[in-house]
Amino acid sequence: MIKLTQHRQVILNLINESNHHWEAEELARALAERGYRIGIATVYRGLAALEAHGLISSFQLADRKRYERASKAHHDHLICTRCGRIEEFVNEDIEREQDLVAAQKGFSITGHQLVIFGICNRCIDKN
Amino acid sequence: MIKLTQHRQVILNLINESNHHWEAEELARALAERGYRIGIATVYRGLAALEAHGLISSFQLADRKRYERASKAHHDHLICTRCGRIEEFVNEDIEREQDLVAAQKGFSITGHQLVIFGICNRCIDKN
DNA sequence: TTATCAATGATAATGGCTATCATTCTGATG
DNA sequence: CATCAGAATGATAGCCATTATCATTGATAA
């Protein structure tokens, strides 16, 4: 079904190798540094294809999308607005409450997007 | 402190008059329909100024910002991905859990962004 | 081998939003 | 009331992430 070309395999490997939350241009730069000549449009298309097949996942942060490993467990994100550090978290209570809210409002829930903004302890310690 | 010009007053009134979640271009169109000649840049600047002074509030939905009345109580949004209807909700449990998550991760929380996606009952009934 | 169809790359286009800059408005002061 | 400074405005160019276009390349099946 999915055509996992060499380019896409390289993109997938890079994402799978770390816990990083990649943005498209950043990933393109990393690929270039490693000697791969992959056009920016191909990177965007590859990311979309990989995500469409569940091999990676993404979330929207401000005006741009971030791509990460597809992990089994759903999780949300916590971002430090000072240094940009992103942490992941899982909270079953929040998940359950969201289902309740949707049910109360007569919505059939299909997904959600939760990002918590804050200042991380490293940044706080610097002051 | 804030210069509440006529233009900004008109923008503010329009937003205050309804529960609508306006996007900038949509609001500009509505103003034009009502006979106001307000440049698009002025609309954007006015929205930013009104928000900066707490007279309206906003949230990011996908690639664009939505503006709404500044309500006393914090709330989040539920959006129907089929018809675009937006509902608001308040859930204290979710708020509390977010504080806990941030504390656990050593973050000093400054805000969050929660949008639940789903299909609303009106759309479901149409099938 | 050939036909087919997707992937690719270069680049133009899109769309929301911001910057620029000349002009206009406002309101504080004399 | 006149003047002046700083802010607001409008027209429009620019920015930037992403997508569309289209000619070319590559892979797979017959």
Side-chain angles (χ1 to χ4, degrees):
Chain A
M1 186 88 192
I2 180 179
K3 189 165 287 188
L4 200 53
T5 63
Q6 283 205 334
H7 284 170
R8 291 177 180 179
Q9 187 68 62
V10 168
I11 292 172
L12 180 56
N13 287 344
L14 193 50
I15 293 174
N16 275 335
E17 273 167 19
S18 78
N19 279 321
H20 193 66
H21 306 81
W22 298 90
E23 49 192 75
E25 300 278 356
E26 179 188 20
L27 197 122
R29 256 189 320 261
L31 292 169
E33 280 170 16
R34 286 162 176 72
Y36 298 103
R37 291 177 174 281
I38 305 184
I40 187 66
T42 300
V43 172
Y44 276 103
R45 279 182 298 225
L47 288 168
L50 290 169
E51 184 180 18
H53 290 86
L55 300 178
I56 59 175
S57 61
S58 78
F59 64 102
Q60 181 94 18
L61 191 51
D63 59 341
R64 63 191 74 178
K65 239 177 168 178
R66 298 274 190 161
Y67 293 88
E68 61 188 336
R69 277 176 302 125
S71 55
K72 288 84 208 157
H74 166 77
H75 61 265
D76 291 301
H77 297 91
L78 189 54
I79 179 167
C80 175
T81 52
R82 192 163 298 167
C83 70
R85 182 152 74 102
I86 299 176
E87 291 282 324
E88 301 175 353
F89 70 88
V90 177
N91 185 298
E92 295 303 334
D93 290 332
I94 293 178
E95 302 293 323
R96 190 163 44 247
E97 287 298 324
Q98 288 183 34
D99 290 341
L100 286 178
V101 165
Q104 280 166 14
K105 295 283 186 179
F107 276 59
S108 169
I109 195 170
T110 56
H112 73 262
Q113 172 86 64
L114 171 59
V115 181
I116 299 178
F117 301 98
I119 312 290
C120 75
N121 45 13
R122 289 183 207 159
C123 286
I124 293 172
D125 291 345
K126 280 180 195 158
N127 293 350
Chain B
M1 185 85 192
I2 181 177
K3 191 166 285 188
L4 201 53
T5 62
Q6 285 205 333
H7 284 169
R8 292 178 179 179
Q9 187 70 61
V10 169
I11 292 172
L12 180 58
N13 287 345
L14 193 51
I15 292 174
N16 275 335
E17 273 168 19
S18 78
N19 279 323
H20 193 66
H21 305 82
W22 298 91
E23 48 193 76
E25 300 278 353
E26 180 187 20
L27 197 122
R29 245 176 289 131
L31 291 169
E33 280 170 17
R34 286 165 177 71
Y36 298 103
R37 291 176 174 283
I38 304 184
I40 187 65
T42 301
V43 172
Y44 276 104
R45 279 180 298 224
L47 288 169
L50 290 169
E51 184 179 19
H53 290 86
L55 300 177
I56 60 176
S57 60
S58 78
F59 64 103
Q60 181 94 19
L61 192 50
D63 59 340
R64 64 191 75 175
K65 239 177 168 179
R66 298 274 190 161
Y67 293 87
E68 62 188 338
R69 277 177 302 126
S71 55
K72 288 83 208 155
H74 166 77
H75 62 267
D76 292 300
H77 298 92
L78 191 52
I79 179 165
C80 175
T81 52
R82 192 163 298 167
C83 70
R85 182 153 73 100
I86 299 175
E87 291 283 324
E88 300 174 354
F89 70 88
V90 177
N91 185 297
E92 294 303 333
D93 290 332
I94 292 178
E95 303 293 323
R96 190 165 40 247
E97 287 298 324
Q98 288 183 32
D99 290 340
L100 286 178
V101 165
Q104 279 165 14
K105 294 282 186 181
F107 276 59
S108 169
I109 194 169
T110 56
H112 73 261
Q113 171 88 67
L114 171 59
V115 181
I116 299 178
F117 301 98
I119 312 291
C120 75
N121 45 13
R122 290 183 204 158
C123 287
I124 294 170
D125 291 346
K126 280 181 195 158
N127 293 352

